[in-house]
Amino acid sequence: MAMLKMEDWYDLARETNWTPSYVTEDELYPEPMAKTFGIPIEEWEKFDEPYKMSYRDYVKMQRDKDIGAYSVKAALSRSNFFEKASPHWKALLALHFSVVCWAEFHSASSFARQTRFGRSPGMRNMATFGTLDEMRHGQIQMFFAYEFLKHDAVFDWCHKSSKTENWIPISLRHALDDIAHTRDAASSAIMLTMGLEAPFTNLQFVALSADAAKCGDHSFATMLQSIQTDEARHAQIGEPVLRIMIANGQKEEAQRLVEIAFWRMWKQFSVLSGIGMDYYTPLEHREGSLKEFMEEWVIGQFGRTVTSVGLDLPWYWDILHEDISTFHHAQQLGVYVYRALQWWRPIACVSPAERDWLEEKYPGWNDTYGKCWDVVIENIKNGDFEKTVPKMPPLICNMCGLEVAGGAGNQWKPVNYNLDLEGRRYHFCSSVCKWIFEEEPDRYKGHRSIIDRILDGTVPTGPDGIFDYMGQSEPERGVDGYDYQWINGYETSSEAAE
Ligand code: MN
Ligand code: MN
């Protein structure tokens, strides 16, 4: 029997906004989950998928992708790549897998929400495939990560980290819960695709894949590419939703959702991709700096997407321009000096040659963040290891959950963004994180950062209190990945004076 071509049946099969007979429309689509923004259903039905696909074609395509990625892994599994990899690459793999695997798996829940409660049939179709995509991303990454478990117990954290109260998962969960898991279907669709996937997954999956291939980690590179092709497809849900919102008088709300989600994800990726690209990737394999990728792919390409769809550039675009050269350098310092609070083995990545690269990519680096590293290096050289770990806990932003850090060294610039509400003071890393809080204080005011939990007694006292609370037994507390050998090549100031 001859089969119909997809274009002959697709539009008819898409008409699934049926009239319910057993329940009311409101019961089927409760407002908190299926908010319409006052836009009539006929308008939502105009959603036209930029990428149309049948389930049969989807399964075939995904099966081929899996075969590709798993067979590269199988062919290379005996090459002992991991055992020969440098502490640089091991730290990068540990960081990537232990925050990305579960975040991907959780995304399936956000797409399932869009599938069940989206008002546009076309959006529901695309989100169904998005749900399946994200399950695959969670599973394939967990499988690839667990290959290394026999070499290194740190990969236990690829799954475990999401279940702990370690400060990094708290920060990431807070951001993802906000944009993807606690809002109505249309808002989640806009925030997840236009705040995370369209602007940022390229950084971690395309740029890192290029670095991985240069490093000889071909199975990681192939896996990352196979994921990014899914991201590029399902991220296209966002644009038609935005166009419907804008055409029906909801531009202001759409703009606000994109601005909140984009900033929240920028803060997360600045740490994940920023440390990954500018520090953990071995010098000889670096493709470009975070700043370069951000300027080209995010500020440039994503910026053009935002304006072409009919929105304005976010109000904080100038602040972002500055932030791409600063924030992640401060975070890398924090991750290294508070290394026991990380589950992997953090590395400094500021050898003389690496500093030259940083200075070239970020003119003034030596005069600012380099000044802080000078102190760390001097202390290590003198054997004062305990002085390389600050006595005081850092101030944590009550929005992004990351360290509050300003300009350092000779360009000292303190940060002071706070707000008093109902007898409590909230601190922020930036005017943008503060603005997000002020947009919906009731949504955010109940959250307690890890520092709030230390101060209010939630975290047990005693030397192991914070580690017990964060799920870190003694071998799960970060130590210098190079055992301080990276400072070879530096002279102490007394040697230099001789
Ligand atoms: Mn994904
Ligand atoms: Mn995705």
Side-chain angles (χ1 to χ4, degrees), residues 348-380:
C349 310
V350 289
S351 66
E354 288 169 315
R355 289 176 74 135
D356 289 347
W357 185 90
L358 286 161
E359 182 64 33
E360 184 201 322
K361 299 293 183 184
Y362 300 91
W365 186 93
N366 274 314
D367 198 36
T368 51
Y369 302 98
K371 293 282 172 198
C372 304
W373 285 107
D374 288 343
V375 177
V376 174
I377 290 159
E378 191 67 21
N379 283 325
I380 295 173

PDB file of all heavy atoms in Angstrom, residues 348-380:
ATOM      1  N   ALA A 348      44.649  25.150  39.124  1.00  0.00           N
ATOM      2  CA  ALA A 348      44.782  26.605  39.054  1.00  0.00           C
ATOM      3  C   ALA A 348      44.878  27.095  37.611  1.00  0.00           C
ATOM      4  O   ALA A 348      44.248  28.078  37.239  1.00  0.00           O
ATOM      5  CB  ALA A 348      46.013  27.037  39.844  1.00  0.00           C
ATOM      6  N   CYS A 349      45.687  26.406  36.803  1.00  0.00           N
ATOM      7  CA  CYS A 349      45.828  26.761  35.382  1.00  0.00           C
ATOM      8  C   CYS A 349      46.338  28.174  35.177  1.00  0.00           C
ATOM      9  O   CYS A 349      45.853  28.892  34.291  1.00  0.00           O
ATOM     10  CB  CYS A 349      44.515  26.574  34.640  1.00  0.00           C
ATOM     11  SG  CYS A 349      43.753  24.980  34.932  1.00  0.00           S
ATOM     12  N   VAL A 350      47.292  28.582  36.010  1.00  0.00           N
ATOM     13  CA  VAL A 350      47.896  29.907  35.839  1.00  0.00           C
ATOM     14  C   VAL A 350      49.426  29.802  35.847  1.00  0.00           C
ATOM     15  O   VAL A 350      50.114  30.596  36.477  1.00  0.00           O
ATOM     16  CB  VAL A 350      47.407  30.921  36.911  1.00  0.00           C
ATOM     17  CG1 VAL A 350      45.966  31.297  36.654  1.00  0.00           C
ATOM     18  CG2 VAL A 350      47.549  30.360  38.321  1.00  0.00           C
ATOM     19  N   SER A 351      49.934  28.803  35.133  1.00  0.00           N
ATOM     20  CA  SER A 351      51.386  28.713  34.931  1.00  0.00           C
ATOM     21  C   SER A 351      51.809  29.923  34.096  1.00  0.00           C
ATOM     22  O   SER A 351      50.954  30.592  33.508  1.00  0.00           O
ATOM     23  CB  SER A 351      51.723  27.426  34.174  1.00  0.00           C
ATOM     24  OG  SER A 351      51.188  27.516  32.859  1.00  0.00           O
ATOM     25  N   PRO A 352      53.109  30.232  34.026  1.00  0.00           N
ATOM     26  CA  PRO A 352      53.519  31.417  33.252  1.00  0.00           C
ATOM     27  C   PRO A 352      52.964  31.421  31.823  1.00  0.00           C
ATOM     28  O   PRO A 352      52.484  32.451  31.343  1.00  0.00           O
ATOM     29  CB  PRO A 352      55.049  31.318  33.261  1.00  0.00           C
ATOM     30  CG  PRO A 352      55.363  30.622  34.565  1.00  0.00           C
ATOM     31  CD  PRO A 352      54.250  29.627  34.753  1.00  0.00           C
ATOM     32  N   ALA A 353      52.997  30.276  31.140  1.00  0.00           N
ATOM     33  CA  ALA A 353      52.506  30.252  29.749  1.00  0.00           C
ATOM     34  C   ALA A 353      50.991  30.484  29.705  1.00  0.00           C
ATOM     35  O   ALA A 353      50.481  31.168  28.815  1.00  0.00           O
ATOM     36  CB  ALA A 353      52.848  28.911  29.110  1.00  0.00           C
ATOM     37  N   GLU A 354      50.275  29.919  30.680  1.00  0.00           N
ATOM     38  CA  GLU A 354      48.822  30.110  30.706  1.00  0.00           C
ATOM     39  C   GLU A 354      48.471  31.569  31.018  1.00  0.00           C
ATOM     40  O   GLU A 354      47.498  32.117  30.495  1.00  0.00           O
ATOM     41  CB  GLU A 354      48.193  29.158  31.724  1.00  0.00           C
ATOM     42  CG  GLU A 354      48.210  27.713  31.225  1.00  0.00           C
ATOM     43  CD  GLU A 354      47.849  26.682  32.295  1.00  0.00           C
ATOM     44  OE1 GLU A 354      48.355  26.781  33.430  1.00  0.00           O
ATOM     45  OE2 GLU A 354      47.077  25.769  31.995  1.00  0.00           O
ATOM     46  N   ARG A 355      49.290  32.187  31.847  1.00  0.00           N
ATOM     47  CA  ARG A 355      49.049  33.612  32.149  1.00  0.00           C
ATOM     48  C   ARG A 355      49.264  34.469  30.915  1.00  0.00           C
ATOM     49  O   ARG A 355      48.550  35.456  30.713  1.00  0.00           O
ATOM     50  CB  ARG A 355      49.960  34.082  33.276  1.00  0.00           C
ATOM     51  CG  ARG A 355      49.586  33.500  34.615  1.00  0.00           C
ATOM     52  CD  ARG A 355      50.578  33.910  35.676  1.00  0.00           C
ATOM     53  NE  ARG A 355      50.391  35.307  36.035  1.00  0.00           N
ATOM     54  CZ  ARG A 355      50.375  35.726  37.301  1.00  0.00           C
ATOM     55  NH1 ARG A 355      50.542  34.873  38.299  1.00  0.00           N
ATOM     56  NH2 ARG A 355      50.213  37.000  37.572  1.00  0.00           N
ATOM     57  N   ASP A 356      50.264  34.110  30.101  1.00  0.00           N
ATOM     58  CA  ASP A 356      50.480  34.874  28.867  1.00  0.00           C
ATOM     59  C   ASP A 356      49.241  34.813  27.982  1.00  0.00           C
ATOM     60  O   ASP A 356      48.837  35.807  27.383  1.00  0.00           O
ATOM     61  CB  ASP A 356      51.688  34.316  28.092  1.00  0.00           C
ATOM     62  CG  ASP A 356      53.005  34.626  28.796  1.00  0.00           C
ATOM     63  OD1 ASP A 356      53.000  35.471  29.717  1.00  0.00           O
ATOM     64  OD2 ASP A 356      54.028  33.998  28.442  1.00  0.00           O
ATOM     65  N   TRP A 357      48.661  33.619  27.904  1.00  0.00           N
ATOM     66  CA  TRP A 357      47.446  33.438  27.092  1.00  0.00           C
ATOM     67  C   TRP A 357      46.309  34.279  27.657  1.00  0.00           C
ATOM     68  O   TRP A 357      45.595  34.973  26.919  1.00  0.00           O
ATOM     69  CB  TRP A 357      47.068  31.947  27.073  1.00  0.00           C
ATOM     70  CG  TRP A 357      45.919  31.590  26.179  1.00  0.00           C
ATOM     71  CD1 TRP A 357      45.972  31.234  24.862  1.00  0.00           C
ATOM     72  CD2 TRP A 357      44.522  31.534  26.544  1.00  0.00           C
ATOM     73  NE1 TRP A 357      44.714  30.955  24.384  1.00  0.00           N
ATOM     74  CE2 TRP A 357      43.802  31.134  25.384  1.00  0.00           C
ATOM     75  CE3 TRP A 357      43.816  31.776  27.729  1.00  0.00           C
ATOM     76  CZ2 TRP A 357      42.411  30.969  25.391  1.00  0.00           C
ATOM     77  CZ3 TRP A 357      42.422  31.629  27.721  1.00  0.00           C
ATOM     78  CH2 TRP A 357      41.741  31.226  26.568  1.00  0.00           C
ATOM     79  N   LEU A 358      46.130  34.227  28.988  1.00  0.00           N
ATOM     80  CA  LEU A 358      45.062  35.005  29.624  1.00  0.00           C
ATOM     81  C   LEU A 358      45.249  36.504  29.393  1.00  0.00           C
ATOM     82  O   LEU A 358      44.299  37.237  29.118  1.00  0.00           O
ATOM     83  CB  LEU A 358      45.000  34.694  31.128  1.00  0.00           C
ATOM     84  CG  LEU A 358      44.393  33.331  31.481  1.00  0.00           C
ATOM     85  CD1 LEU A 358      44.775  32.909  32.903  1.00  0.00           C
ATOM     86  CD2 LEU A 358      42.862  33.352  31.329  1.00  0.00           C
ATOM     87  N   GLU A 359      46.517  36.954  29.493  1.00  0.00           N
ATOM     88  CA  GLU A 359      46.804  38.383  29.295  1.00  0.00           C
ATOM     89  C   GLU A 359      46.500  38.795  27.850  1.00  0.00           C
ATOM     90  O   GLU A 359      45.986  39.887  27.596  1.00  0.00           O
ATOM     91  CB  GLU A 359      48.267  38.674  29.652  1.00  0.00           C
ATOM     92  CG  GLU A 359      48.685  40.135  29.534  1.00  0.00           C
ATOM     93  CD  GLU A 359      47.971  41.075  30.507  1.00  0.00           C
ATOM     94  OE1 GLU A 359      47.638  40.648  31.640  1.00  0.00           O
ATOM     95  OE2 GLU A 359      47.733  42.248  30.128  1.00  0.00           O
ATOM     96  N   GLU A 360      46.801  37.886  26.911  1.00  0.00           N
ATOM     97  CA  GLU A 360      46.542  38.191  25.501  1.00  0.00           C
ATOM     98  C   GLU A 360      45.033  38.261  25.233  1.00  0.00           C
ATOM     99  O   GLU A 360      44.549  39.142  24.526  1.00  0.00           O
ATOM    100  CB  GLU A 360      47.185  37.093  24.650  1.00  0.00           C
ATOM    101  CG  GLU A 360      47.078  37.317  23.152  1.00  0.00           C
ATOM    102  CD  GLU A 360      47.249  36.011  22.381  1.00  0.00           C
ATOM    103  OE1 GLU A 360      48.095  35.175  22.789  1.00  0.00           O
ATOM    104  OE2 GLU A 360      46.504  35.813  21.393  1.00  0.00           O
ATOM    105  N   LYS A 361      44.294  37.311  25.810  1.00  0.00           N
ATOM    106  CA  LYS A 361      42.851  37.266  25.566  1.00  0.00           C
ATOM    107  C   LYS A 361      42.090  38.302  26.392  1.00  0.00           C
ATOM    108  O   LYS A 361      41.015  38.748  25.997  1.00  0.00           O
ATOM    109  CB  LYS A 361      42.301  35.862  25.886  1.00  0.00           C
ATOM    110  CG  LYS A 361      42.906  34.746  25.046  1.00  0.00           C
ATOM    111  CD  LYS A 361      42.508  34.878  23.588  1.00  0.00           C
ATOM    112  CE  LYS A 361      43.061  33.720  22.756  1.00  0.00           C
ATOM    113  NZ  LYS A 361      42.761  33.907  21.319  1.00  0.00           N
ATOM    114  N   TYR A 362      42.614  38.611  27.563  1.00  0.00           N
ATOM    115  CA  TYR A 362      41.947  39.554  28.482  1.00  0.00           C
ATOM    116  C   TYR A 362      42.979  40.590  28.934  1.00  0.00           C
ATOM    117  O   TYR A 362      43.519  40.481  30.050  1.00  0.00           O
ATOM    118  CB  TYR A 362      41.376  38.826  29.709  1.00  0.00           C
ATOM    119  CG  TYR A 362      40.355  37.770  29.355  1.00  0.00           C
ATOM    120  CD1 TYR A 362      40.734  36.443  29.136  1.00  0.00           C
ATOM    121  CD2 TYR A 362      39.001  38.107  29.233  1.00  0.00           C
ATOM    122  CE1 TYR A 362      39.795  35.480  28.794  1.00  0.00           C
ATOM    123  CE2 TYR A 362      38.057  37.138  28.895  1.00  0.00           C
ATOM    124  CZ  TYR A 362      38.464  35.827  28.675  1.00  0.00           C
ATOM    125  OH  TYR A 362      37.537  34.876  28.345  1.00  0.00           O
ATOM    126  N   PRO A 363      43.275  41.576  28.100  1.00  0.00           N
ATOM    127  CA  PRO A 363      44.325  42.548  28.468  1.00  0.00           C
ATOM    128  C   PRO A 363      44.054  43.142  29.851  1.00  0.00           C
ATOM    129  O   PRO A 363      42.929  43.559  30.143  1.00  0.00           O
ATOM    130  CB  PRO A 363      44.215  43.605  27.367  1.00  0.00           C
ATOM    131  CG  PRO A 363      43.650  42.849  26.185  1.00  0.00           C
ATOM    132  CD  PRO A 363      42.700  41.841  26.777  1.00  0.00           C
ATOM    133  N   GLY A 364      45.074  43.129  30.703  1.00  0.00           N
ATOM    134  CA  GLY A 364      44.904  43.618  32.068  1.00  0.00           C
ATOM    135  C   GLY A 364      44.708  42.493  33.068  1.00  0.00           C
ATOM    136  O   GLY A 364      44.635  42.738  34.275  1.00  0.00           O
ATOM    137  N   TRP A 365      44.655  41.260  32.608  1.00  0.00           N
ATOM    138  CA  TRP A 365      44.429  40.132  33.526  1.00  0.00           C
ATOM    139  C   TRP A 365      45.505  40.082  34.604  1.00  0.00           C
ATOM    140  O   TRP A 365      45.208  39.904  35.793  1.00  0.00           O
ATOM    141  CB  TRP A 365      44.391  38.811  32.739  1.00  0.00           C
ATOM    142  CG  TRP A 365      44.010  37.621  33.586  1.00  0.00           C
ATOM    143  CD1 TRP A 365      42.768  37.107  33.768  1.00  0.00           C
ATOM    144  CD2 TRP A 365      44.898  36.810  34.389  1.00  0.00           C
ATOM    145  NE1 TRP A 365      42.816  36.037  34.630  1.00  0.00           N
ATOM    146  CE2 TRP A 365      44.101  35.832  35.031  1.00  0.00           C
ATOM    147  CE3 TRP A 365      46.273  36.823  34.634  1.00  0.00           C
ATOM    148  CZ2 TRP A 365      44.640  34.867  35.890  1.00  0.00           C
ATOM    149  CZ3 TRP A 365      46.814  35.871  35.499  1.00  0.00           C
ATOM    150  CH2 TRP A 365      45.996  34.904  36.121  1.00  0.00           C
ATOM    151  N   ASN A 366      46.778  40.253  34.210  1.00  0.00           N
ATOM    152  CA  ASN A 366      47.873  40.183  35.195  1.00  0.00           C
ATOM    153  C   ASN A 366      47.765  41.270  36.256  1.00  0.00           C
ATOM    154  O   ASN A 366      48.177  41.078  37.389  1.00  0.00           O
ATOM    155  CB  ASN A 366      49.234  40.290  34.489  1.00  0.00           C
ATOM    156  CG  ASN A 366      49.719  38.925  34.013  1.00  0.00           C
ATOM    157  OD1 ASN A 366      49.666  37.946  34.764  1.00  0.00           O
ATOM    158  ND2 ASN A 366      50.159  38.855  32.762  1.00  0.00           N
ATOM    159  N   ASP A 367      47.218  42.400  35.848  1.00  0.00           N
ATOM    160  CA  ASP A 367      47.122  43.541  36.748  1.00  0.00           C
ATOM    161  C   ASP A 367      45.933  43.411  37.705  1.00  0.00           C
ATOM    162  O   ASP A 367      45.813  44.151  38.678  1.00  0.00           O
ATOM    163  CB  ASP A 367      46.964  44.807  35.882  1.00  0.00           C
ATOM    164  CG  ASP A 367      47.289  46.062  36.657  1.00  0.00           C
ATOM    165  OD1 ASP A 367      48.214  46.010  37.496  1.00  0.00           O
ATOM    166  OD2 ASP A 367      46.601  47.086  36.431  1.00  0.00           O
ATOM    167  N   THR A 368      45.043  42.464  37.414  1.00  0.00           N
ATOM    168  CA  THR A 368      43.825  42.337  38.227  1.00  0.00           C
ATOM    169  C   THR A 368      43.792  40.961  38.919  1.00  0.00           C
ATOM    170  O   THR A 368      44.318  40.802  40.014  1.00  0.00           O
ATOM    171  CB  THR A 368      42.576  42.523  37.339  1.00  0.00           C
ATOM    172  OG1 THR A 368      42.671  41.649  36.201  1.00  0.00           O
ATOM    173  CG2 THR A 368      42.461  43.951  36.861  1.00  0.00           C
ATOM    174  N   TYR A 369      43.229  39.962  38.220  1.00  0.00           N
ATOM    175  CA  TYR A 369      43.129  38.634  38.834  1.00  0.00           C
ATOM    176  C   TYR A 369      44.506  38.030  39.062  1.00  0.00           C
ATOM    177  O   TYR A 369      44.733  37.308  40.039  1.00  0.00           O
ATOM    178  CB  TYR A 369      42.233  37.726  37.970  1.00  0.00           C
ATOM    179  CG  TYR A 369      40.876  38.366  37.818  1.00  0.00           C
ATOM    180  CD1 TYR A 369      40.563  39.101  36.676  1.00  0.00           C
ATOM    181  CD2 TYR A 369      39.973  38.338  38.877  1.00  0.00           C
ATOM    182  CE1 TYR A 369      39.348  39.772  36.583  1.00  0.00           C
ATOM    183  CE2 TYR A 369      38.763  38.991  38.788  1.00  0.00           C
ATOM    184  CZ  TYR A 369      38.460  39.716  37.638  1.00  0.00           C
ATOM    185  OH  TYR A 369      37.273  40.385  37.548  1.00  0.00           O
ATOM    186  N   GLY A 370      45.447  38.355  38.172  1.00  0.00           N
ATOM    187  CA  GLY A 370      46.822  37.866  38.333  1.00  0.00           C
ATOM    188  C   GLY A 370      47.421  38.273  39.671  1.00  0.00           C
ATOM    189  O   GLY A 370      48.217  37.533  40.263  1.00  0.00           O
ATOM    190  N   LYS A 371      47.046  39.449  40.174  1.00  0.00           N
ATOM    191  CA  LYS A 371      47.572  39.918  41.472  1.00  0.00           C
ATOM    192  C   LYS A 371      47.135  38.976  42.602  1.00  0.00           C
ATOM    193  O   LYS A 371      47.886  38.743  43.549  1.00  0.00           O
ATOM    194  CB  LYS A 371      47.070  41.340  41.777  1.00  0.00           C
ATOM    195  CG  LYS A 371      47.607  42.401  40.847  1.00  0.00           C
ATOM    196  CD  LYS A 371      49.035  42.759  41.243  1.00  0.00           C
ATOM    197  CE  LYS A 371      49.645  43.677  40.189  1.00  0.00           C
ATOM    198  NZ  LYS A 371      51.108  43.720  40.268  1.00  0.00           N
ATOM    199  N   CYS A 372      45.917  38.477  42.506  1.00  0.00           N
ATOM    200  CA  CYS A 372      45.432  37.538  43.534  1.00  0.00           C
ATOM    201  C   CYS A 372      46.212  36.227  43.436  1.00  0.00           C
ATOM    202  O   CYS A 372      46.613  35.646  44.456  1.00  0.00           O
ATOM    203  CB  CYS A 372      43.947  37.265  43.359  1.00  0.00           C
ATOM    204  SG  CYS A 372      42.930  38.740  43.381  1.00  0.00           S
ATOM    205  N   TRP A 373      46.417  35.762  42.208  1.00  0.00           N
ATOM    206  CA  TRP A 373      47.165  34.512  42.021  1.00  0.00           C
ATOM    207  C   TRP A 373      48.611  34.664  42.492  1.00  0.00           C
ATOM    208  O   TRP A 373      49.206  33.697  42.984  1.00  0.00           O
ATOM    209  CB  TRP A 373      47.120  34.073  40.550  1.00  0.00           C
ATOM    210  CG  TRP A 373      45.790  33.496  40.164  1.00  0.00           C
ATOM    211  CD1 TRP A 373      44.833  34.068  39.384  1.00  0.00           C
ATOM    212  CD2 TRP A 373      45.264  32.208  40.556  1.00  0.00           C
ATOM    213  NE1 TRP A 373      43.741  33.229  39.265  1.00  0.00           N
ATOM    214  CE2 TRP A 373      43.981  32.081  39.966  1.00  0.00           C
ATOM    215  CE3 TRP A 373      45.745  31.160  41.343  1.00  0.00           C
ATOM    216  CZ2 TRP A 373      43.183  30.944  40.146  1.00  0.00           C
ATOM    217  CZ3 TRP A 373      44.954  30.037  41.514  1.00  0.00           C
ATOM    218  CH2 TRP A 373      43.685  29.934  40.927  1.00  0.00           C
ATOM    219  N   ASP A 374      49.187  35.880  42.359  1.00  0.00           N
ATOM    220  CA  ASP A 374      50.560  36.099  42.845  1.00  0.00           C
ATOM    221  C   ASP A 374      50.661  35.738  44.324  1.00  0.00           C
ATOM    222  O   ASP A 374      51.654  35.159  44.761  1.00  0.00           O
ATOM    223  CB  ASP A 374      50.964  37.574  42.666  1.00  0.00           C
ATOM    224  CG  ASP A 374      51.196  37.932  41.189  1.00  0.00           C
ATOM    225  OD1 ASP A 374      51.371  37.001  40.372  1.00  0.00           O
ATOM    226  OD2 ASP A 374      51.167  39.141  40.876  1.00  0.00           O
ATOM    227  N   VAL A 375      49.627  36.106  45.066  1.00  0.00           N
ATOM    228  CA  VAL A 375      49.645  35.835  46.512  1.00  0.00           C
ATOM    229  C   VAL A 375      49.551  34.325  46.761  1.00  0.00           C
ATOM    230  O   VAL A 375      50.276  33.768  47.593  1.00  0.00           O
ATOM    231  CB  VAL A 375      48.467  36.576  47.223  1.00  0.00           C
ATOM    232  CG1 VAL A 375      48.426  36.244  48.709  1.00  0.00           C
ATOM    233  CG2 VAL A 375      48.580  38.079  46.996  1.00  0.00           C
ATOM    234  N   VAL A 376      48.667  33.666  46.021  1.00  0.00           N
ATOM    235  CA  VAL A 376      48.518  32.211  46.161  1.00  0.00           C
ATOM    236  C   VAL A 376      49.847  31.525  45.846  1.00  0.00           C
ATOM    237  O   VAL A 376      50.318  30.645  46.584  1.00  0.00           O
ATOM    238  CB  VAL A 376      47.401  31.688  45.207  1.00  0.00           C
ATOM    239  CG1 VAL A 376      47.336  30.164  45.233  1.00  0.00           C
ATOM    240  CG2 VAL A 376      46.041  32.277  45.587  1.00  0.00           C
ATOM    241  N   ILE A 377      50.484  31.945  44.757  1.00  0.00           N
ATOM    242  CA  ILE A 377      51.746  31.336  44.310  1.00  0.00           C
ATOM    243  C   ILE A 377      52.849  31.546  45.356  1.00  0.00           C
ATOM    244  O   ILE A 377      53.600  30.626  45.697  1.00  0.00           O
ATOM    245  CB  ILE A 377      52.154  31.929  42.943  1.00  0.00           C
ATOM    246  CG1 ILE A 377      51.189  31.423  41.864  1.00  0.00           C
ATOM    247  CG2 ILE A 377      53.598  31.584  42.582  1.00  0.00           C
ATOM    248  CD1 ILE A 377      51.146  32.277  40.605  1.00  0.00           C
ATOM    249  N   GLU A 378      52.926  32.749  45.868  1.00  0.00           N
ATOM    250  CA  GLU A 378      53.944  33.069  46.880  1.00  0.00           C
ATOM    251  C   GLU A 378      53.767  32.158  48.108  1.00  0.00           C
ATOM    252  O   GLU A 378      54.730  31.623  48.646  1.00  0.00           O
ATOM    253  CB  GLU A 378      53.805  34.556  47.277  1.00  0.00           C
ATOM    254  CG  GLU A 378      54.948  35.109  48.104  1.00  0.00           C
ATOM    255  CD  GLU A 378      56.270  35.180  47.341  1.00  0.00           C
ATOM    256  OE1 GLU A 378      56.249  35.177  46.092  1.00  0.00           O
ATOM    257  OE2 GLU A 378      57.327  35.187  47.999  1.00  0.00           O
ATOM    258  N   ASN A 379      52.526  31.980  48.525  1.00  0.00           N
ATOM    259  CA  ASN A 379      52.262  31.135  49.694  1.00  0.00           C
ATOM    260  C   ASN A 379      52.635  29.675  49.429  1.00  0.00           C
ATOM    261  O   ASN A 379      53.188  29.008  50.303  1.00  0.00           O
ATOM    262  CB  ASN A 379      50.782  31.240  50.098  1.00  0.00           C
ATOM    263  CG  ASN A 379      50.504  32.542  50.828  1.00  0.00           C
ATOM    264  OD1 ASN A 379      51.350  33.043  51.572  1.00  0.00           O
ATOM    265  ND2 ASN A 379      49.325  33.103  50.613  1.00  0.00           N
ATOM    266  N   ILE A 380      52.333  29.192  48.236  1.00  0.00           N
ATOM    267  CA  ILE A 380      52.690  27.798  47.921  1.00  0.00           C
ATOM    268  C   ILE A 380      54.209  27.647  47.887  1.00  0.00           C
ATOM    269  O   ILE A 380      54.767  26.706  48.450  1.00  0.00           O
ATOM    270  CB  ILE A 380      52.064  27.361  46.572  1.00  0.00           C
ATOM    271  CG1 ILE A 380      50.531  27.359  46.670  1.00  0.00           C
ATOM    272  CG2 ILE A 380      52.563  25.972  46.167  1.00  0.00           C
ATOM    273  CD1 ILE A 380      49.825  27.110  45.347  1.00  0.00           C
TER     274      ILE A 380
END
